[in-house]
Amino acid sequence: MKQLGTLDSAFINLEQANTPQHIGGFGIYDPSTAPDGFVRFKEVIANFEQRLKKMPIMRTRLIEVPFGLDKPYWVIDENFDTEFHLRHIALPKPGDWRQLCIQAARLHARPLDMSRPLWECYIIEGLDNIPGLPKGAFAIYTKMHHSLIDGAGSQSFMQALHDLEPSPRSIPAEDTTGEDQAYAPVAITPARLLRNAAINNVSSSVGLVKGTLKLAGGLIRTALDIRSEKLPAYPSAPKSRFDAPVGPHRVFDASLFSLDDFKAMRRATDTTINDIAVAVVAGALREYLQHHGELPDESLAASMPVNIRGKGAQTDDNNQIAAIMSLIHTDIEEPVDRLLAISRSMTGAKKFVDTPLADPIKVAGIFNPWLSKRVARWYVNGRMTERLPMGNCCGVITNVMGPPVPLYCAGAQLVQYYPMGLLTAGGGLFHAVFSMAGTLSISAIADREAMPDPEFYRQCLDNSFKALKESVAQRYQAATPVKKNVLVKNKARRKGKASVNKSAVAQRKAATRKESQRRQ
């Protein structure tokens, strides 16, 4: 068996009925690439069973220490049953995008069975009336407890459960022999767990004192750095409808965009893909709140997870993330001005990654579960998000890069993917940005009371993207580059009598250079 680390334990301790701590998402697959042109449910099961042999963590269950005196353990579930975790359902009629979003939100709202391996998969058929999908397309919705995996690690999970070619390969026997000894079953008795807890509590008490002193020192240094302007001022933002206590129900919707459009805007504005995605979200929130008469005069702020793998000390935690807070400038109406302000704020926010302000969730994993779970329950049941003076946050925006190559499940090609995050007690909105195969999706999962009209919010995302693209094109006149093959065709058509207007190109370059100097 293997004991959970601090951050992984935090997600177990924060598990509540209204805020289950799992993440997930659903992919849409084209079965025409499979060898027979269609995929059977038993083939998907067989495909998963093969790959789960290489992922022992997905076959483990949680062992709690009596009285919550120590962090829990992972141990291989000797009664693991793939078919319990992999289920087959179909959308109700008419099988359109709205029905798929409702089904995904309903599945995502249900807590996992904490006595079993902490994940589930659903193969969803009946996607018959969703425009743009190939005939016979199906979806696979997956949810995993955050203690198992974080957003950055989910890419490895996706690659492990998929093939790189349509013809499914068999995993060599040498790759599947033997269990991972770190999770192997042992003689587990309450007495043994309590003995381990006593030993761990002695060492953790010393670590807790050192950690507390280190945290206090870090907070003092951070405050001094802010005061001396070595660090920017920490964001302060007004509340919104998404800061309210979260209920048990969820809504979901998403928009799909061309990645080339985002890359063109990135080049034109000298920003990043992530900056542009945040700007699209900010524009959508601005329109949505304005529609409901709730847009504050000051800018909203959002929390943004940061992958810290390879940075600083390495741990055995499945989760290796921090979180930064940044203004998203919903108070700025003009799309490009908003984008440039977001880019500046994001640059400043990243300076907080190495400070204690980026690790607030670790607090829930530092103390033993007995204490942490009670504090979490008090915080939720007492509706402390309404009473305590906290740094207000309109939600989470995370950006996950998808696989750079096509992926296949039982021969069916993954053609679209939409991540789904978790909501916290006072955070009723979660955006996930995901790029794959020339597309970029922006997904939004929210508390149903905070966002009763997710279809309208998806329209706000579309409107925000369109407005930003048009504004970039007008200001820079070079948002969409002319492709080389288009130039070749034009030259051939004109038989060499005309080419690209060099004067116009020079003027555009001069204008771009002048604008860059102005921004600096």
Side-chain angles (χ1 to χ4, degrees):
M1 61 184 184
K2 181 179 179 180
Q3 192 167 32
L4 276 68
T6 299
L7 195 51
D8 296 342
S9 296
F11 288 110
I12 296 294
N13 296 337
L14 292 172
E15 179 81 14
Q16 298 289 322
N18 285 359
T19 53
Q21 298 294 293
H22 57 252
I23 58 177
F26 66 89
I28 297 177
Y29 295 81
D30 177 6
S32 67
T33 59
D36 297 328
F38 62 93
V39 175
R40 301 175 181 85
F41 180 59
K42 65 179 182 180
E43 292 172 337
V44 177
I45 293 179
N47 188 66
F48 269 71
E49 285 179 333
Q50 274 197 320
R51 279 143 187 82
L52 289 173
K53 293 176 183 178
K54 297 184 66 177
M55 302 180 68
I57 185 65
M58 304 303 290
R59 293 178 284 117
T60 61
R61 61 185 178 91
L62 203 66
I63 297 292
E64 300 272 6
V65 175
F67 312 114
L69 295 179
D70 199 7
K71 297 180 180 68
Y73 293 83
W74 296 121
V75 62
I76 292 290
D77 184 0
E78 295 177 298
N79 297 315
F80 176 73
D81 179 11
T82 306
E83 295 191 31
F84 172 83
H85 298 271
L86 195 60
R87 303 163 188 186
H88 192 187
I89 61 176
L91 289 184
K93 297 295 183 181
D96 57 14
W97 174 254
R98 179 176 175 275
Q99 289 291 344
L100 180 58
C101 290
I102 291 172
Q103 185 64 269
R106 185 179 295 127
L107 294 173
H108 204 67
R110 297 175 186 170
L112 289 161
D113 183 345
M114 300 297 286
S115 68
R116 292 177 177 268
L118 298 179
W119 65 276
E120 293 175 359
C121 273
Y122 292 79
I123 289 85
I124 307 174
E125 293 186 329
L127 285 61
D128 303 321
N129 289 299
I130 300 179
L133 294 188
K135 184 178 180 180
F138 63 93
I140 297 182
Y141 163 80
T142 306
K143 63 180 175 182
M144 301 153 286
H145 203 275
H146 214 320
S147 58
L148 287 175
I149 198 168
D150 60 21
S154 63
Q155 182 174 349
S156 299
F157 174 77
M158 286 182 66
Q159 291 176 339
L161 292 181
H162 290 82
D163 293 295
L164 299 178
E165 53 190 19
S167 299
R169 61 180 177 82
S170 297
I171 298 178
E174 61 267 23
D175 288 345
T176 62
T177 54
E179 297 284 0
D180 187 324
Q181 292 304 309
Y183 305 101
V186 295
I188 302 173
T189 63
R192 176 172 182 169
L193 293 174
L194 288 172
R195 183 173 66 251
N196 290 350
I199 296 171
N200 291 339
N201 284 332
V202 171
S203 59
S204 64
S205 296
V206 176
L208 183 59
V209 172
K210 291 181 178 178
T212 302
L213 293 174
K214 182 179 179 181
L215 175 62
L219 290 172
I220 292 172
R221 284 192 301 273
T222 300
L224 292 174
D225 286 344
I226 293 175
R227 185 174 180 180
S228 64
E229 298 184 354
K230 291 181 181 179
L231 288 174
Y234 199 71
S236 175
K239 280 187 175 292
S240 71
R241 61 168 54 205
F242 303 112
D243 292 301
V246 170
H249 307 297
R250 302 288 180 265
V251 294
F252 173 84
D253 217 317
S255 284
L256 192 66
F257 307 100
S258 166
L259 183 58
D260 285 342
D261 285 337
F262 276 72
K263 289 179 177 178
M265 287 190 283
R266 177 197 65 190
R267 287 190 294 267
T269 60
D270 192 25
T271 56
T272 68
I273 296 291
N274 190 57
D275 292 339
I276 295 166
V278 173
V280 172
V281 169
L285 281 170
R286 177 183 170 86
E287 180 181 351
Y288 183 83
L289 293 175
Q290 202 166 36
H291 173 80
H292 289 283
E294 299 174 3
L295 180 66
D297 294 332
E298 301 83 10
S299 170
L300 296 176
S303 175
M304 302 179 193
V306 178
N307 178 21
I308 57 173
R309 283 174 171 80
K311 302 176 182 177
Q314 296 300 305
T315 71
D316 291 332
D317 278 293
N318 295 321
N319 288 271
Q320 295 185 38
I321 55 173
I324 60 174
M325 188 81 72
S326 177
L327 296 176
I328 58 174
H329 297 285
T330 49
D331 57 327
I332 299 177
E333 181 178 3
E334 207 288 319
V336 172
D337 290 343
R338 187 191 313 127
L339 167 61
L340 298 179
I342 286 171
S343 182
R344 291 190 294 269
S345 293
M346 293 281 287
T347 299
K350 290 172 185 176
K351 296 178 181 179
F352 285 94
V353 170
D354 297 324
T355 72
L357 296 177
D359 292 325
I361 198 170
K362 277 189 176 180
V363 175
I366 291 175
F367 300 96
N368 65 45
W370 182 89
L371 177 61
S372 296
K373 289 183 178 181
R374 278 162 176 75
V375 171
R377 194 176 304 120
W378 164 80
Y379 186 82
V380 172
N381 295 342
R383 301 174 71 90
M384 289 298 114
T385 55
E386 295 178 333
R387 303 180 183 183
L388 295 179
M390 307 291 286
N392 299 327
C393 172
C394 71
V396 176
I397 306 174
T398 187
N399 190 344
V400 179
M401 185 180 296
V405 295
L407 295 181
Y408 301 86
C409 177
Q413 183 177 357
L414 176 63
V415 293
Q416 295 178 23
Y417 188 77
Y418 302 92
M420 302 171 72
L422 59 83
L423 303 185
T424 59
L429 179 61
F430 191 109
H431 291 91
V433 181
F434 188 85
S435 54
M436 181 194 76
T439 62
L440 184 143
S441 65
I442 300 181
S443 308
I445 187 159
D447 176 49
R448 193 166 71 190
E449 292 185 15
M451 185 182 285
D453 45 1
E455 298 92 345
F456 172 65
Y457 185 69
R458 184 192 69 225
Q459 187 60 53
C460 291
L461 285 169
D462 293 339
N463 293 344
S464 177
F465 168 77
K466 181 179 178 181
L468 179 59
K469 182 179 177 182
E470 290 176 352
S471 183
V472 169
Q474 290 171 5
R475 183 175 297 194
Y476 296 93
Q477 300 179 3
T480 306
V482 180
K483 295 182 179 179
K484 185 176 180 181
N485 63 341
V486 174
L487 289 176
V488 171
K489 289 180 180 178
N490 287 341
K491 287 180 181 180
R493 187 181 301 114
R494 296 168 185 171
K495 299 180 180 181
K497 294 181 180 179
S499 61
V500 177
N501 189 320
K502 294 182 179 180
S503 176
V505 171
Q507 290 175 5
R508 286 197 297 270
K509 288 183 177 179
T512 302
R513 185 164 54 251
K514 183 177 180 180
E515 177 62 23
S516 178
Q517 292 172 350
R518 184 187 68 80
R519 296 202 313 271
Q520 293 175 355

